[in-house]
Amino acid sequence: MPCDVNGTLVDQASPGFWLCPQCGRVISTGGAVVARTDPTLVDLGDRPAAWPGRGFSTPGIGRAWLHLPTGSAGLVGVRAHHDHGPIADQSARLLDPMPRADGDPWSPRTAADVDAALDRWGWRVISRAEAATRLLAAGYQLGTNRSAGHLLYADDLDDTTWRPRDAGHGLEAFAAPTEPTR
């Protein structure tokens, strides 16, 4: 995408620099990488940066999240830890924070709002058991050592989708494209 030397998107047809929304590199027309931005912060208008499966290390699976106090939501990609367990990769924002009523500690957003946002981009929430099947097929190992910080463990597989996270301040669920990735 056309950008300036700092990675800020521009409308010019030939600005001299191009931003890769998948990795965040700013590339000159000569092919040299001149800067690197955080691809999760790139504003692509109505499409989140690093949208899966193009920007995620493991296409075809991600973990959706909803922050209950603010109502913001996103989708985190999956990559392999050194022990081949699934850990968080890049993320894409699905929903920006929204105002809440005076005195209310929680945003009015729900998991259904995140489901709808995922659906608009061709994704759906899947069970933890289906997430495990996808991860194992992609070569991941699911252990039980929680100190590793993995996204999913072998002793925590069932048919649930949305679960509490962050001491009850958020919700999380696994998600997958509605159409198979290539």
Side-chain angles (χ1 to χ4, degrees):
M1 305 193 72
C3 70
D4 64 20
V5 70
N6 298 316
T8 306
L9 297 180
V10 296
D11 291 332
Q12 302 170 13
S14 182
F17 300 96
W18 301 94
L19 174 71
C20 175
Q22 295 175 16
C23 68
R25 290 185 188 122
V26 176
I27 305 163
S28 72
T29 52
V33 175
V34 297
R36 183 180 287 273
T37 65
D38 180 349
T40 63
L41 301 178
V42 177
D43 180 8
L44 299 179
D46 65 345
R47 248 187 116 94
W51 194 252
R54 291 177 287 283
F56 286 3
S57 295
T58 306
I61 189 161
R63 186 178 71 175
W65 57 269
L66 169 63
H67 185 244
L68 294 171
T70 64
S72 61
L75 186 62
V76 176
V78 179
R79 68 180 173 88
H81 194 249
H82 63 81
D83 63 3
H84 303 289
I87 60 173
D89 194 15
Q90 299 183 71
S91 65
R93 179 158 288 182
L94 291 168
L95 299 169
D96 289 324
M98 67 180 301
R100 54 184 179 220
D102 288 339
D104 191 344
W106 307 111
S107 161
R109 282 217 174 103
T110 66
D113 296 315
V114 182
D115 289 343
L118 285 167
D119 184 60
R120 283 193 296 275
W121 295 109
W123 282 65
R124 65 183 173 85
V125 170
I126 60 174
S127 71
R128 297 176 77 78
E130 185 177 342
T133 299
R134 288 172 180 263
L135 289 168
L136 292 169
Y140 286 90
Q141 294 179 7
L142 300 180
T144 56
N145 178 6
R146 289 196 165 39
S147 67
H150 295 168
L151 298 178
L152 188 62
Y153 297 94
D155 60 353
D156 194 26
L157 309 179
D158 54 36
D159 289 331
T160 62
T161 55
W162 286 101
R163 284 193 174 181
R165 72 173 252 211
D166 298 333
H169 289 95
L171 298 173
E172 67 181 11
F174 285 91
T178 53
E179 296 181 16
T181 56
R182 293 179 213 172

